């Protein structure tokens, strides 16, 4: 089969809208090789990303709460317009709790030929009257979620200021990778970087190791990273690669044992099967003047070595 896909292969791709058990719409994307992704309109959140062998690549807690407005513990929650509790809003902002809309008439996404040989869906979030009371800025947040021929997952975000005054925001794509065992995982691409350590009141440190490995709780924001980060899972013999644009920072989080036991929507032992590595813009907030637009792009891919 050629890589570009014949008409028959393209016909085998699909975009299907279904409902979850709470009646919330979900969009299922399938490429012609059988890889898939599932996106909930609750939070504009990717909940599943599977290879053409049906292997799930994202972690979702067995105790996750799927009832809006609770955020779902797993997949890829979007933290906007605030990350963590660094501001006046609730933890991680409100976007992950809102019901997004399917964008029926998206403006053209010009860069990267983002519709060629890909299945995709376009979602849109606009602030409600309640949102404007707590964060008085009018915006349009457009999200395109794509599944490529190779099975890569791409998320392109466009945030436009439709207000008459500037505003600033932070953002993170809080990606929960599914892993075999946290003690068998290493992250490369963060060496020599400065990071803010949330376990030490956001104190600034410099990464000393060649690769990041895990033997206790980690909650860090690595600053001004390169645009490619790799997560190696030795036991599973697979490597996740994170490519990003417009997202200079990288959040790395694993709650470990003690914190896991304090979270109602997370199993006590589940920290062993997950690692969050986020493309983010946190340290230097993004500021948009009236009419200005910001674009961020995240591409996740996986390679099996065994």
């Amino acid at each position: 089969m050629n890589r570009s896909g014949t008409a028959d292969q393209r016909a085998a791709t699909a975009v299907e809208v279904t409902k979850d058990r709470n009646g919330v719409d979900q969009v299922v994307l399938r490429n012609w090789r059988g890889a898939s992704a599932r996106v909930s309109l609750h939070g504009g959140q990717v909940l599943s990303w599977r290879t053409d062998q049906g292997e799930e690549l994202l972690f979702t807690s067995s105790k996750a709460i799927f009832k809006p407005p609770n955020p779902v513990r797993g997949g890829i929650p979007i933290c906007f317009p605030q990350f963590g509790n660094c501001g006046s809003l609730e933890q991680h902002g409100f976007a992950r709790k809102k019901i997004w809309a399917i964008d029926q008439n998206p403006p053209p996404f010009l860069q990267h030929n983002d519709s060629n040989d890909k299945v995709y869906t376009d979602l849109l979030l606009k602030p409600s009257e309640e949102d404007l009371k707590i964060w008085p800025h009018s915006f349009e947040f457009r999200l395109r979620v794509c599944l490529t021929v190779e099975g890569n997952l791409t998320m392109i975000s466009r945030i436009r200021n439709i207000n008459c005054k500037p505003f600033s925001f932070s953002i993170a794509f809080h990606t929960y990778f599914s892993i075999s065992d946290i003690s068998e995982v290493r992250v490369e691409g963060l060496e020599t970087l400065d990071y803010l350590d949330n376990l030490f009141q956001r104190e600034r440190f410099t990464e000393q190791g060649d690769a990041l490995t895990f033997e206790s709780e980690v909650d860090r924001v690595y600053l001004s990273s390169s645009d490619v980060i790799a997560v190696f899972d030795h036991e599973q013999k697979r490597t996740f690669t994170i490519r990003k644009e417009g997202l200079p920072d990288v959040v790395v989080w694993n709650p470990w044992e003690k914190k896991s036991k304090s979270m109602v929507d997370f199993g006590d032992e589940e920290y062993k099967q997950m690692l969050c590595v986020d493309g983010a813009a946190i340290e230097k907030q993004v500021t948009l003047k009236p009419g200005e637009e910001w674009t961020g792009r995240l591409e996740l891919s996986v390679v099996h070595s065994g």
Side-chain angles (χ1 to χ4, degrees), residues 183-196:
S183 62
E184 296 284 330
V185 166
R186 74 179 201 273
V187 181
E188 290 190 1
L190 304 174
E191 42 284 350
T192 74
L193 294 184
D194 282 3
Y195 62 87
L196 306 177

Side-chain angles (χ1 to χ4, degrees), residues 170-278:
S170 53
I171 186 167
F173 295 90
H174 199 36
T175 308
Y176 285 77
F177 289 104
S178 175
I179 57 174
S180 55
D181 181 349
I182 188 65
S183 62
E184 296 284 330
V185 166
R186 74 179 201 273
V187 181
E188 290 190 1
L190 304 174
E191 42 284 350
T192 74
L193 294 184
D194 282 3
Y195 62 87
L196 306 177
D197 196 327
N198 289 319
L199 303 180
F200 293 91
Q201 288 76 50
R202 293 172 60 80
E203 198 179 325
R204 198 180 184 110
F205 296 93
T206 302
E207 181 55 56
Q208 304 295 338
D210 292 337
L212 187 59
T213 55
F214 301 89
E215 45 201 30
S216 59
E217 183 181 354
V218 173
D219 188 354
R220 299 173 181 174
V221 181
Y222 285 85
L223 307 174
S224 305
S225 83
S226 72
D227 288 335
V228 183
I229 308 293
V231 179
F232 296 90
D233 185 335
H234 298 285
E235 198 170 299
Q236 204 78 315
K237 293 191 170 55
R238 70 182 177 197
T239 302
F240 293 107
T241 303
I242 302 155
R243 290 180 177 83
K244 58 196 180 62
E245 294 168 23
L247 298 161
D249 303 327
V250 175
V251 176
V252 181
W253 180 68
N254 182 288
W256 218 256
E257 206 166 356
K258 190 176 167 197
K259 180 92 181 276
S260 295
K261 289 180 173 158
S262 71
M263 296 190 289
V264 293
D265 59 349
F266 193 84
D268 290 357
E269 297 286 313
E270 286 186 327
Y271 72 91
K272 295 173 182 173
Q273 270 77 59
M274 56 70 65
L275 178 65
C276 283
V277 183
D278 312 6

Side-chain angles (χ1 to χ4, degrees), residues 80-82 84-94 131 134-135:
F80 170 87
Q82 175 182 302
N85 48 17
C86 310
S88 59
L89 300 176
E90 63 186 297
Q91 166 99 349
H92 291 331
F94 51 74
D131 299 336
I134 58 165
W135 200 67

Side-chain angles (χ1 to χ4, degrees), residues 13-180:
T13 65
V15 180
E16 185 189 357
V17 180
T18 62
K19 286 197 186 300
D20 71 10
R21 58 179 177 262
N22 289 302
V24 177
D25 282 349
Q26 297 190 341
V27 183
V28 180
L29 307 175
R30 280 190 191 84
N31 75 6
W32 58 265
R33 290 179 173 166
S36 68
R38 187 160 43 89
V39 193
S40 175
L41 267 56
H42 173 207
Q45 184 164 336
V46 176
L47 294 176
S48 172
W49 170 38
R50 290 179 182 267
T51 66
D52 52 15
Q53 303 297 309
E55 178 186 21
E56 180 59 66
L57 301 171
L58 298 178
F59 166 88
T60 301
S61 172
S62 61
K63 295 190 169 182
I65 301 162
F66 286 91
K67 213 171 167 106
N70 297 291
V72 176
R73 175 75 66 190
I76 310 179
I78 297 171
C79 306
F80 170 87
Q82 175 182 302
F83 179 78
N85 48 17
C86 310
S88 59
L89 300 176
E90 63 186 297
Q91 166 99 349
H92 291 331
F94 51 74
R96 66 190 182 138
K97 293 183 162 191
K98 298 294 171 187
I99 300 293
W100 294 47
I102 292 175
D103 193 354
Q104 304 291 2
N105 192 19
F109 281 71
L110 294 173
Q111 76 277 42
H112 300 292
N113 298 324
D114 273 313
S115 57
N116 293 358
D117 294 329
K118 298 185 179 184
V119 272
Y120 60 90
T121 186
D122 289 297
L123 303 185
L124 174 62
L125 179 67
K126 293 181 181 181
S128 66
E129 293 299 319
E130 295 136 53
D131 299 336
L132 289 168
K133 283 177 191 158
I134 58 165
W135 200 67
H137 306 292
S138 287
F139 65 87
E140 290 176 343
F141 188 146
R142 287 189 156 82
L143 174 68
R144 173 167 288 186
V145 181
C146 305
L147 194 62
T148 70
V149 172
E150 298 82 11
N152 298 353
L153 183 70
T154 306
M155 300 173 74
I156 304 146
S157 299
R158 297 174 18 161
I159 298 170
R160 181 178 287 280
N161 181 351
I162 54 172
N163 217 344
C164 53
K165 58 182 191 287
F167 65 73
S168 300
F169 64 88
S170 53
I171 186 167
F173 295 90
H174 199 36
T175 308
Y176 285 77
F177 289 104
S178 175
I179 57 174
S180 55

